[in-house]
Amino acid sequence: MSDPAASADAPLPDNPRPSKSADPVGCTDSAGRATGSAESAGPVGSAGSAGSAARATHSLQGLSPELTSRVPQLLEAMRSVGTGLELHTTLDRICETAAELADAHYAAIGVVSEDGDGLSDFVYHGIDARTAERIGRLPDGHKGLLGALIHQPRTLRLADLSADPRSCGFPAHHPPMRSFLGVPIRVQGKIFGNLYLTEKRDGAEFNDYDVHMVRVLATEAGIAIGNARLYEAAKQRERWIDGSVAVTTALLSGSDAEDALAVVAEQARHLADSAAGIVLLPDEEGGMEVVAVSSDGPTGALGLIVPAESRIVTQLLAGQAVFIDDAATDPHTVTHLADRYGPVMMLPLQSDGRVLGALVTPRARGARPFTEAERTLAAQFASQAALALMMAEAQRDRERLAVYEDRDRIARDLHDLVIQRLFATGMMLESAQRRSVVPEVQVGVGKAVDELDVTIQEIRTAIFALQQGPAEAPSGLRTRVLREINMAAVPLGFKPTHRFVGPVDTVVGELTGKNLIAALREALSNAFRHAHAARIDVVVDSTVLLPGECQGVRLTVADDGVGIAEGGRRSGLKNLKRRAESLGGDSWYGPGIGEEGRGTTVVWQAPY
C-alpha cells in the first residue's frame, strides 16, 4: 500500500450518533466524530497501557448488540497479535489481524524512523508480490497522509481519501482505495508507527465500531511490538558478543595478524548487515591504508590509501566515530569506492587511548541507515577488536624478536663453523690435487673445489639475508623474490630453483608486487612446515593473460613433498585465495612435481 495523500489530520466524518454505551473507548464527540487519540494511552506495559485496557474492558458492559457480537473477534485478534517474538513477523500478523477485524481489503504499518522525519520500514497486507513489484518504491512518509500521521499522531478516518485536500494521488499500478482509517501505535509511550486500513470490503466507510476495535488492537499491538523489540535487541547484542568472541579466539588460536584483521572485517560485515567490512591501519605518511576487506565480490579496495588530508582520517585518528548517511553524495569522502555505498559507519579501533586503525561497514545505496542501537553495539565491537589487535601486535613483536635471535644464531653458526670447515676442506682438496699425478683425479678434484666455492658463496648470501632487516628490503620485485627464496633456503636445507618470465620489475605494480611477495612467503612457509619436500620450483611469469583479457602476473610454487593431507587445515591456502580475489585475481592448487604428481603446486595470480 503506497502513500496516497497529503499532510495533517482531518476530523472524522459525521455519523449517526450511537448510544453512549456503544462508545467504549470515548473516541467520538456529540456529533459522532472521533475526538480521542492514542495519545491518551500511556506507555505500553506501564500503568498507562493497563489503564487504557482496563477502561476498554470496563466499558464493554452494556454494549450494543453489533459491538457485542464482535467482542470474541476482538479477543481472538488480541490473542493472535500477542503471539511470537520476531519483530517483522509480529508486524505482518498485526496487519493481517487488523484487516480481518475491520473487514478491510488492505492494511499496513508504517514504522517511524529514529529522527521522526519519515518511515524506516513499511509492512503491508492485501497487495500481492507482483502488484507490489509493479508499484515500485515503498512510501517514505515524507509527504501525504502518512507524513501527516507521523507529525500529528492521532486517529484519522476518511470516507474518500482521494477527495482530501492534502491528497497527492497514487503511483502507477496502485489499486484504487477510498475509505481510510489511520491509528497510531505507541511503544513505551513513544510513537512506533501508524496502522493504516483502507477499502472496507462492503464499499462503506469505516464506522465507529471499527475505530473502537482497531484502537484497542493498536494498544495490544504496542505491547506485542515492545516485547518483540526487546527480544530482537537481546538477540542482536548476543550476535555482536559472539562476533567479539570469534575475533578474540582467532588471535588466541595462533592466527597471524592478517588472519585477525580478516576475521574483524568479516565479522563486522555480517553483524552490521553491511555490503562490506573494511579494516584500515595508519600508514607512514599520516593517511590510512586498507589492509583487510570482506565482501561478496571483489572491491579493489585492498591496499587503497586514504590521504592524511581527508577530514575523515583526521577524525578517526583522533578517536572519533564517523557516520555518513550517503557516502556517494557526502562531500568528505575522497575515494572512488564511496560511489557504490549509502550509509557508512566508521569506527576507530581504539584501546587504552591509542588508535590502532579504523573499522568501516558500508551499506549499499538505498539501504536503511544504521540505528542508534547498531552504532552502540558496533562501537563496543570495535573496542574489543582493538584490544585483540593489540594482543596480536604484542604477539607479533615477540615472534619477530625470537626470529631475529634465531637468525643471528644461525648466521653465526654458518659463518664460524660451516664456512670455515668448507674452506678448510677446499684447501685440503687443492693440496691433494697438486700432489696427484693422475689427470682424471686432478680434473675431478678441481670440480669438487669449484662446487665448494659456489656453496660457500651461497651460504654467504644466506647469511647476508639472515642479517638483513625488513626495512632494508630492496624495491625491485625480482630482487625481493630472490631474497625470499634465499631466506627460505636456510630452514629448508636447500635452495629452491627460480625462473622469471617477462619484464617482472617494470610491469608489476607496487600493490600487486607486495601481495605477490606475501603469497610467495606463505607458499614457501607451507612447503617448509608441511611438505617435507626435497625440491621446490618457483616461477614468476608477468606475461600471462587472465580471464577477461586482463594482463597479469602469475606465481607458481611447486614441490615434490607429501602433498596436502585429507581433512588438513586450509587456512594458508584460504589466505592466498582471499588475497588474490581482493585484487581481482585467483589462487588454486594442484598436483606437485614429484613422481606421479606427488607433492603440491600452488598458483597465485592477479592483474598488474
Side-chain angles (χ1 to χ4, degrees), residues 323-336:
F323 302 102
I324 297 176
D325 293 332
D326 187 4
T329 58
D330 191 277
H332 299 121
T333 55
V334 295
T335 66
H336 65 279

Side-chain angles (χ1 to χ4, degrees), residues 45-357:
S46 67
S49 299
S52 297
R55 288 194 299 272
T57 304
H58 178 71
S59 61
L60 292 177
Q61 300 176 2
L63 295 180
S64 66
E66 179 180 352
L67 192 56
T68 302
S69 64
R70 298 176 67 178
V71 168
Q73 185 183 6
L74 174 61
L75 296 176
E76 177 61 25
M78 294 173 67
R79 185 202 63 79
S80 174
V81 166
T83 59
L85 288 174
E86 201 278 326
L87 180 57
H88 213 277
T89 303
T90 299
L91 297 179
D92 286 332
R93 190 183 303 111
I94 293 171
C95 287
E96 182 180 357
T97 304
E100 294 177 358
L101 188 64
D103 200 23
H105 276 284
Y106 309 105
I109 292 177
V111 180
V112 179
S113 59
E114 286 191 345
D115 59 11
D117 194 38
L119 297 178
S120 62
D121 197 4
F122 192 80
V123 181
Y124 55 86
H125 168 77
I127 295 180
D128 59 80
R130 183 177 179 182
T131 303
E133 184 178 355
R134 295 178 67 192
I135 293 174
R137 185 179 178 183
L138 294 172
D140 54 19
H142 290 155
K143 60 181 179 179
L145 282 177
L146 305 192
L149 288 174
I150 291 174
H151 299 291
Q152 297 179 338
R154 65 187 66 174
T155 301
L156 175 62
R157 178 172 49 170
L158 296 172
D160 185 357
L161 56 87
S162 62
D164 190 276
R166 299 153 296 183
S167 174
C168 59
F170 295 108
H173 311 295
H174 196 288
M177 296 180 181
R178 291 176 59 84
S179 54
F180 176 85
L181 175 60
V183 178
I185 299 176
R186 282 177 167 78
V187 176
Q188 297 177 342
K190 297 181 180 179
I191 287 295
F192 170 82
N194 290 282
L195 172 62
Y196 317 111
L197 297 167
T198 62
E199 202 65 13
K200 196 168 174 67
R201 291 187 181 275
D202 57 8
E205 305 172 21
F206 291 102
N207 56 38
D208 293 335
Y209 304 118
D210 297 324
V211 173
H212 303 330
M213 294 289 189
V214 173
R215 289 187 63 198
V216 173
L217 180 66
T219 301
E220 177 66 22
I223 298 173
I225 291 170
N227 293 336
R229 291 176 81 178
L230 289 174
Y231 175 77
E232 189 173 78
K235 295 295 290 183
Q236 189 178 44
R237 282 194 297 270
E238 182 181 352
R239 289 194 298 270
W240 281 96
I241 291 172
D242 289 343
S244 298
V245 171
V247 171
T248 305
T249 302
L251 266 296
L252 297 179
S253 63
S255 299
D256 58 23
E258 289 187 0
D259 283 343
L261 294 174
V263 171
V264 171
E266 184 177 352
Q267 288 292 333
R269 177 174 76 96
H270 171 69
L271 294 169
D273 192 24
S274 58
I278 302 172
V279 176
L280 299 94
L281 296 182
D283 69 352
E284 297 178 353
E285 299 181 357
M288 301 193 82
E289 179 184 1
V290 176
V291 296
V293 179
S294 173
S295 65
D296 290 332
T299 62
L302 192 65
L304 181 71
I305 302 293
V306 184
E309 297 77 19
S310 169
R311 177 180 172 183
I312 293 175
V313 168
T314 303
Q315 290 178 279
L316 290 173
L317 292 178
Q320 302 173 12
V322 179
F323 302 102
I324 297 176
D325 293 332
D326 187 4
T329 58
D330 191 277
H332 299 121
T333 55
V334 295
T335 66
H336 65 279
L337 296 177
D339 297 339
R340 68 185 74 169
Y341 297 125
V344 181
M345 183 164 49
M346 304 182 186
L347 303 166
L349 295 171
Q350 182 174 323
S351 181
D352 197 23
R354 178 186 172 195
V355 177
L356 303 176

Side-chain angles (χ1 to χ4, degrees), residues 12 18 93 97 461 528 555-556:
L12 302 179
R93 190 183 303 111
T97 304
T461 300
F528 164 65
L555 167 68
T556 305

Side-chain angles (χ1 to χ4, degrees), residues 456-473:
I456 291 172
Q457 291 301 321
E458 289 181 347
I459 293 176
R460 283 176 173 167
T461 300
I463 292 173
F464 176 74
L466 286 170
Q467 294 175 334
Q468 195 174 33
E472 304 168 26

Side-chain angles (χ1 to χ4, degrees), residues 283-495:
D283 69 352
E284 297 178 353
E285 299 181 357
M288 301 193 82
E289 179 184 1
V290 176
V291 296
V293 179
S294 173
S295 65
D296 290 332
T299 62
L302 192 65
L304 181 71
I305 302 293
V306 184
E309 297 77 19
S310 169
R311 177 180 172 183
I312 293 175
V313 168
T314 303
Q315 290 178 279
L316 290 173
L317 292 178
Q320 302 173 12
V322 179
F323 302 102
I324 297 176
D325 293 332
D326 187 4
T329 58
D330 191 277
H332 299 121
T333 55
V334 295
T335 66
H336 65 279
L337 296 177
D339 297 339
R340 68 185 74 169
Y341 297 125
V344 181
M345 183 164 49
M346 304 182 186
L347 303 166
L349 295 171
Q350 182 174 323
S351 181
D352 197 23
R354 178 186 172 195
V355 177
L356 303 176
L359 175 62
V360 181
T361 55
R363 283 177 175 164
R365 297 199 66 180
R368 64 179 178 85
F370 292 97
T371 65
E372 197 63 38
E374 287 175 324
R375 295 181 180 187
T376 301
L377 290 170
Q380 295 171 352
F381 174 83
S383 297
Q384 180 67 27
L387 179 60
L389 289 177
M390 288 189 67
M391 294 169 57
E393 186 178 40
Q395 178 177 326
R396 193 162 58 250
D397 288 343
R398 289 193 299 270
E399 292 175 351
R400 187 183 295 117
L401 179 60
V403 169
Y404 288 160
E405 290 176 347
D406 204 33
R407 286 182 180 181
D408 288 341
R409 180 187 59 78
I410 294 173
R412 286 195 305 271
D413 291 346
L414 288 174
H415 183 271
D416 297 341
L417 300 177
V418 179
I419 288 183
Q420 296 300 328
R421 289 183 180 180
L422 289 175
F423 187 73
T425 302
M427 293 182 65
M428 292 172 59
L429 289 173
E430 286 180 341
S431 177
Q433 183 185 33
R434 288 192 296 269
R435 290 196 298 268
S436 175
V437 295
V438 181
E440 290 82 359
V441 173
Q442 289 181 338
V443 173
V445 172
K447 289 182 179 180
V449 171
D450 292 340
E451 287 295 325
L452 285 176
D453 287 340
V454 173
T455 301
I456 291 172
Q457 291 301 321
E458 289 181 347
I459 293 176
R460 283 176 173 167
T461 300
I463 292 173
F464 176 74
L466 286 170
Q467 294 175 334
Q468 195 174 33
E472 304 168 26
S475 58
L477 180 59
R478 183 187 298 263
T479 309
R480 282 184 284 173
V481 170
L482 291 174
R483 178 172 178 265
E484 292 297 328
I485 291 175
N486 288 331
M487 290 179 65
V490 176
L492 285 169
F494 64 91
K495 183 177 179 180

